[in-house]
Amino acid sequence: MSMPSAFTQFQPNPDNQEIIHLQESIASLEKRLNELQKCGSQSNAAGQIQSLQTDINNFQQQVDNAAKSNRQEAKVLLEKFNDLQKSVAEMKNDLLQKIDTDNIDKCVMHLDGHRVLKAAEVADKMTTDSVTQLIKDYCSPDNRRQEDRRGDLIEFISYMNDRSRRKLFKSLLASMNIDEGKPKKIIDQRVAVSNKKTASFKCPHCTKDIVYKNAVYSEGYLVTCCYDNCKRKFHQVACPHCSGSNTWKNADYQQGSVVTCAYDTCKRKFQQVVCPHCFGSMAWKNADYKQGSVVTCAYENCRRKFQQVVCPHCSGSMSWENADYKEGSVVTCPYETCKRKFQHLACTHCSGSIVWKNADHKEGSVVTCPYETCKQKFQQLACTHCSGSIVWKNADHEEDEPVTCVYENCRRRFL
């Protein structure tokens, strides 16, 4: 890779002073390259070769200007300069590959020890291609610790200094999806052990009494009238204030929606959701339930957590039995007759439910509440580690800036 000196020595005169100056400068750069090739320290050589390459790039304009004269000696110098550039670039690439190989090992060691900040400091010295390969290898699908490693990589990327590289690696990691919690459809007419001993109400179509003696009924599920001359479907929920039976003849009730009691003597609002674990019916008398929020079942014999969202396309109710739904994430309706995508957020100001039927909401973007009584702006991100919803009420979060989770049981960083 060394370059033998083969410059023609010119006699000084006013016509070739510029050529002589260029010749001396190129010879000096060549000497620095030869010294670097003998350098035994990779770390020292890396800094010096970067400096040499910068000086060569700064010298480019002078060589190009001299070559425009079409003088033979200038053309010779241009060829030598181009050879020098090529040699420096080759040496730099070879050196970076050797350094990156060592740094990849260091990164893996730090990541395995959950020292994500240390790993990021090493990665900042590596090429983009090397870090890309590191992420792919470290989060490979056949690794048993893939999910844990993914969490470490999220923090690792968030600590990198270069914003453009953070954005690039975040997209790369997002494209390497692993199976996350999927919604489960709440099957209507499911035989379930209710927390009520008995249940009875009238069919809104034929007005005959329907009685559940063995506690197999859960409020909010679709009911099919048991009488042969009717067999029509409807929904029924008891008001938690007056106990009056509220019915939906068209079977278009949505669990979690705000209901105003139909009885003139009441007319109070409430919300109702069925626990997917024990199928017990829970009511919010103040109508302050938020779709998608984590709910702990109110019944002593259950007390398990879950989340619930209604599909805006088919009105089917979906539950996440492991409470691993991320607010704002793209959801695919699990019902075979639908299978459409959407996104859902609750406004942080008025708690109103905001839905993107086309699933075209970008997480972290500024949202303006569509409700006339609100119209305030906010931003929301789900922590990629604990799925906790983080909100900026003033919509002052800068996109692609690292975030530290606000929840005490997490406190990890992500983008």
Side-chain angles (χ1 to χ4, degrees), residues 235-289:
H235 283 111
Q236 184 275 342
V237 174
C239 172
H241 301 289
C242 69
S243 300
S245 179
N246 288 262
T247 56
W248 286 260
K249 283 188 175 184
N250 296 324
D252 53 359
Y253 167 67
Q254 294 182 1
Q255 282 191 38
S257 60
V258 177
V259 177
T260 301
C261 182
Y263 292 87
D264 290 333
T265 54
C266 183
K267 291 295 184 184
R268 297 173 71 179
K269 297 182 185 295
F270 67 94
Q271 287 165 284
Q272 179 268 353
V273 167
V274 174
C275 171
H277 301 291
C278 69
F279 307 108
S281 178
M282 290 176 287
W284 282 258
K285 287 187 175 183
N286 296 324
D288 53 0
Y289 164 71

Side-chain angles (χ1 to χ4, degrees), residues 80-196:
K80 295 298 180 184
F81 181 76
N82 289 338
D83 287 342
L84 176 64
Q85 274 188 315
K86 183 178 179 181
S87 296
V88 170
E90 288 176 354
M91 182 180 178
K92 181 180 178 181
N93 288 336
D94 291 343
L95 187 62
L96 288 177
Q97 285 181 6
K98 292 177 183 177
I99 293 175
D100 276 1
T101 299
D102 293 339
N103 283 337
I104 285 174
D105 293 338
K106 290 179 183 178
C107 269
V108 171
M109 179 184 67
H110 288 312
L111 287 170
D112 284 344
H114 306 293
R115 297 183 295 273
V116 290
L117 177 56
K118 288 286 186 182
E121 290 173 353
V122 175
D124 282 336
K125 304 171 186 175
M126 294 165 57
T127 63
T128 299
D129 288 343
S130 294
V131 179
T132 298
Q133 192 59 51
L134 167 66
I135 292 172
K136 288 180 178 179
D137 292 342
Y138 199 73
C139 198
S140 61
D142 57 349
N143 193 296
R144 292 181 180 179
R145 289 185 55 235
Q146 186 193 23
E147 191 168 354
D148 291 338
R149 287 189 166 194
R150 187 183 184 87
D152 288 335
L153 285 174
I154 289 169
E155 285 194 276
F156 163 66
I157 293 169
S158 75
Y159 278 113
M160 292 181 186
N161 287 328
D162 191 305
R163 182 171 183 168
S164 61
R165 296 220 310 174
R166 288 200 306 262
K167 189 173 183 179
L168 173 67
F169 298 140
K170 176 187 175 183
S171 298
L172 170 65
L173 194 59
S175 68
M176 300 165 60
N177 283 327
I178 59 175
D179 289 335
E180 296 179 346
K182 294 182 179 179
K184 179 179 179 181
K185 55 190 175 186
I186 296 179
I187 303 173
D188 290 324
Q189 294 179 289
R190 189 170 188 166
V191 176
V193 177
S194 173
N195 282 280
K196 291 184 177 181

Side-chain angles (χ1 to χ4, degrees), residues 387-411:
S387 301
S389 184
I390 304 171
V391 174
W392 288 264
K393 285 191 173 184
N394 297 323
D396 53 1
H397 168 62
E398 291 188 28
E399 190 177 4
D400 296 320
E401 280 300 305
V403 177
T404 300
C405 182
V406 296
Y407 294 92
E408 289 295 336
N409 60 348
C410 183
R411 292 294 187 187

Side-chain angles (χ1 to χ4, degrees), residues 199-341:
S200 64
F201 44 84
K202 291 183 182 293
C203 171
H205 301 289
C206 68
T207 69
K208 293 181 180 179
D209 288 330
I210 299 175
V211 179
Y212 291 82
K213 293 182 178 180
N214 298 319
V216 293
Y217 167 73
S218 283
E219 286 187 337
Y221 282 132
L222 186 67
V223 178
T224 300
C225 181
C226 59
Y227 295 95
D228 290 335
N229 61 349
C230 183
K231 292 293 184 184
R232 297 175 72 179
K233 299 180 186 297
F234 64 96
H235 283 111
Q236 184 275 342
V237 174
C239 172
H241 301 289
C242 69
S243 300
S245 179
N246 288 262
T247 56
W248 286 260
K249 283 188 175 184
N250 296 324
D252 53 359
Y253 167 67
Q254 294 182 1
Q255 282 191 38
S257 60
V258 177
V259 177
T260 301
C261 182
Y263 292 87
D264 290 333
T265 54
C266 183
K267 291 295 184 184
R268 297 173 71 179
K269 297 182 185 295
F270 67 94
Q271 287 165 284
Q272 179 268 353
V273 167
V274 174
C275 171
H277 301 291
C278 69
F279 307 108
S281 178
M282 290 176 287
W284 282 258
K285 287 187 175 183
N286 296 324
D288 53 0
Y289 164 71
K290 293 181 182 179
Q291 266 194 62
S293 60
V294 177
V295 177
T296 301
C297 181
Y299 293 92
E300 291 294 337
N301 61 349
C302 183
R303 291 294 186 188
R304 296 174 70 181
K305 297 182 185 295
F306 68 94
Q307 288 164 285
Q308 179 266 356
V309 170
V310 172
C311 174
H313 301 290
C314 69
S315 301
S317 184
M318 293 168 278
S319 67
W320 283 258
E321 293 187 359
N322 296 323
D324 51 2
Y325 164 68
K326 294 180 181 179
E327 192 176 20
S329 61
V330 176
V331 177
T332 301
C333 180
Y335 292 90
E336 291 297 332
T337 54
C338 184
K339 293 292 185 183
R340 297 173 71 180
K341 297 181 184 293

